[in-house]
Amino acid sequence: MSSEKPFQIAVSDDKIDFLRRKLELCIFPDEFKDAGSDYGVPLASMRRLVEYWKTGFDWRAQEAAINAELPQFTRDIKVDGFGTLNIHYVHQKSKAVDAIPLLRAQPRNKTLVMFLWQDSEMRRHQD
């Protein structure tokens, strides 16, 4: 088993440019009158989100903030029946001397950022 290796998020400019080109090509459907969210995300909300990703979201600033705040690592783990898997994780030690260690596994349909938001919301409500 390999030892942990430091990791930082570093998305290539090519991939970010490709995403922007895809967003520029986005074709929006018509929307049923007064549909609200009965049939999914309202069209106006989706248009705002796409526009934000095209012109307002600063990926480099988010990337830098995540990399500065979170001690990230990768490690190869051998899993019977699956071979060697490379996992990405955050190893952040508690500031509390008597803290209980916590391992938080990330489900496939959630993101690291979603966990961070939930944690920050929980801490905000504990104060």
Side-chain angles (χ1 to χ4, degrees):
M1 194 171 337
S2 69
S3 61
E4 69 182 17
K5 296 176 185 165
F7 178 86
Q8 290 204 326
I9 296 171
V11 177
S12 71
D13 288 336
D14 288 345
K15 287 187 178 181
I16 294 172
D17 291 341
F18 182 64
L19 173 61
R20 286 195 181 113
R21 286 194 309 272
K22 286 174 67 173
L23 292 168
E24 288 293 335
L25 295 171
C26 187
I27 298 172
F28 296 100
D30 293 331
E31 184 172 51
F32 294 123
K33 185 177 177 175
D34 301 321
S37 59
D38 292 344
Y39 297 98
V41 176
L43 187 56
S45 297
M46 188 55 65
R47 286 182 185 273
R48 277 193 308 274
L49 180 63
V50 169
E51 187 61 29
Y52 174 68
W53 273 92
K54 285 190 320 189
T55 61
F57 185 79
D58 185 345
W59 178 259
R60 294 297 175 218
Q62 296 302 313
E63 195 177 67
I66 292 169
N67 287 336
E69 183 177 341
L70 300 174
Q72 303 170 76
F73 300 90
T74 61
R75 176 186 293 261
D76 288 340
I77 296 179
K78 290 182 182 176
V79 179
D80 290 342
F82 293 94
T84 301
L85 303 177
N86 183 261
I87 63 165
H88 167 247
Y89 58 96
V90 172
H91 183 192
Q92 191 164 32
K93 296 181 180 181
S94 174
K95 294 175 185 163
V97 177
D98 58 347
I100 298 171
L102 172 66
L103 173 63
R104 191 167 191 182
Q106 175 180 321
R108 284 182 10 186
N109 63 343
K110 300 290 183 186
T111 66
L112 178 62
V113 174
M114 175 68 92
F115 276 130
L116 297 174
W117 177 81
Q118 289 171 338
D119 284 346
S120 67
E121 284 297 296
M122 286 181 0
R123 283 193 296 269
R124 187 168 64 88
H125 292 291
Q126 288 176 348
D127 296 336

